[in-house]
Amino acid sequence: MAVSLLGPLVITTLLCMQTLADTSCTDCFVQSRAEYYPNSEVNGTDAGACGFGSFGATINGGDVSAASNLYRNGVGCGSCYQVRCTNNTYCLDNGVTVVITDQGSGDGTDFILSQRAFGGMAQTSDKAPYLLALGIVDIEYRRVSCSYPNKNITIKIDESSSNPNYLAFVIWFQQGMRDITAVQLCETQNFVCKLLDRTHGAVWTTTSPPSGPLSLRMLFSAEDGDQTWVVPSSNIPEDWKAGETYDSGVQVDK
Ligand SMILES: *[C@@H]1O[C@H](CO)[C@@H](O)[C@H](O)[C@H]1NC(C)=O
Ligand SMILES: *[C@@H]1O[C@H](CO)[C@@H](O)[C@H](O)[C@H]1NC(C)=O
Ligand SMILES: *[C@@H]1O[C@H](CO)[C@@H](O)[C@H](O)[C@H]1NC(C)=O
């Protein structure tokens, strides 16, 4: 009698502990420091190391950041973090959500935020100047899902793709909490696929790209090792042009 009552109880307790253990560390905040770009621009920089150009300065309302370790050799480009400063005289509980578009490090910092994002950690716009005056602050951060509810993942062909034998692009509006760790282009006729190189930041390139309309495949990788190839519904047209953007027709939400 005692055993049959205890049995389910023990199992339930173990399940709860398991659930707690699983969620606690993906949700934990990490202690660090942050500063902001010294230039007068309130947004990020057009010259961000990720290679996003002006998109990288103004995406997410200009709440963007350079990362040091979290840049991860470019894999961190396009990922999102919740960043909150910890001085309770000035700082909002929720802080801001920023998108990584650049690489940079300062005095023990993980983030160099845009001024807009740095000031956005303040409780009110009146307190933002006091926060900015500190220059560098203690923060806590955690990875969060990127959300662009009204945007599909979009391919921006880099200006450097000046001849048909060289294709370079960046991926705009990366969504969810996973990294894009590999990209393939496949011919839609005979399914010849080519794996691209990440040359720097978020820039994917290939010499002699496959021909015809191209089907993109992106490998989304989670921290726990889970990997999924996402295949958009729309193709990159045969006559792709440098500087153009192509809507992939797909959203990714986890
Ligand atoms: C800064 O970013 C915001 C939001 O994207 C944009 O509306 C504004 O025009 C940008 N400012 C400059 C100077 O680019
Ligand atoms: C918040 O910052 C102000 C100005 O630097 C400082 O005087 C105060 O002690 C800080 N408060 C906390 C709780 O750290
Ligand atoms: C996203 O793609 C879908 C499917 O192609 C399309 O119906 C929708 O209009 C696109 N959304 C935006 C915001 O472009």
Side-chain angles (χ1 to χ4, degrees):
M1 196 59 172
V3 170
S4 66
L5 274 176
L6 202 61
L9 199 71
V10 170
I11 290 167
T12 312
T13 312
L14 282 175
L15 280 175
C16 279
M17 286 170 67
Q18 186 62 45
T19 311
L20 274 175
D22 282 346
T23 53
S24 62
C25 252
T26 43
D27 280 347
C28 322
F29 281 90
V30 179
Q31 313 288 315
S32 184
R33 281 147 66 85
E35 58 186 316
Y36 57 91
Y37 283 108
N39 56 14
S40 55
E41 176 56 63
V42 292
N43 293 328
T45 167
D46 287 0
C50 290
F52 288 129
S54 59
F55 174 84
T58 57
I59 187 184
N60 193 35
D63 285 341
V64 297
S65 184
S68 50
N69 292 332
L70 300 171
Y71 182 76
R72 294 178 291 135
N73 227 356
V75 177
C77 290
S79 60
C80 296
Y81 289 88
Q82 182 184 1
V83 181
R84 61 184 188 196
C85 56
T86 51
N87 182 314
N88 55 21
T89 312
Y90 299 129
C91 300
L92 269 177
D93 283 350
N94 286 334
V96 286
T97 296
V98 294
V99 181
I100 303 304
T101 62
D102 192 11
Q103 178 181 29
S105 57
D107 180 12
T109 60
D110 270 298
F111 298 91
I112 300 176
L113 300 168
S114 66
Q115 285 192 32
R116 183 187 299 280
F118 195 94
M121 295 189 296
Q123 286 154 8
T124 61
S125 53
D126 289 348
K127 290 187 177 179
Y130 295 100
L131 203 55
L132 287 159
L134 296 175
I136 184 161
V137 292
D138 291 333
I139 54 124
E140 299 176 332
Y141 71 84
R142 63 179 174 185
R143 180 123 187 222
V144 294
S145 192
C146 301
S147 171
Y148 307 101
N150 302 313
K151 301 288 183 187
N152 292 330
I153 291 179
T154 298
I155 306 309
K156 164 75 196 286
I157 310 289
D158 197 78
E159 316 291 346
S160 66
S161 309
S162 50
N163 71 66
N165 295 323
Y166 180 74
L167 177 56
F169 59 79
V170 289
I171 296 170
W172 283 3
F173 306 118
Q174 178 181 331
Q175 298 155 4
M177 219 167 131
R178 294 176 296 172
D179 298 323
I180 299 176
T181 52
V183 172
Q184 279 188 325
L185 282 175
C186 299
E187 293 185 0
T188 48
Q189 298 299 315
N190 49 13
F191 300 104
V192 170
C193 292
K194 190 157 188 194
L195 210 50
L196 275 62
D197 299 313
R198 182 196 291 277
T199 45
H200 65 281
V203 183
W204 297 94
T205 68
T206 181
T207 48
S208 44
S211 55
L214 298 172
S215 162
L216 178 77
R217 288 151 195 253
M218 296 168 284
L219 185 63
F220 278 79
S221 304
E223 218 171 307
D224 66 7
D226 180 49
Q227 298 195 314
T228 317
W229 283 100
V230 172
V231 183
S233 53
S234 306
N235 296 322
I236 299 174
E238 183 168 14
D239 62 345
W240 53 264
K241 289 186 182 58
E244 284 294 312
T245 55
Y246 299 105
D247 186 333
S248 73
V250 79
Q251 293 198 335
V252 170
D253 57 11
K254 67 171 189 127

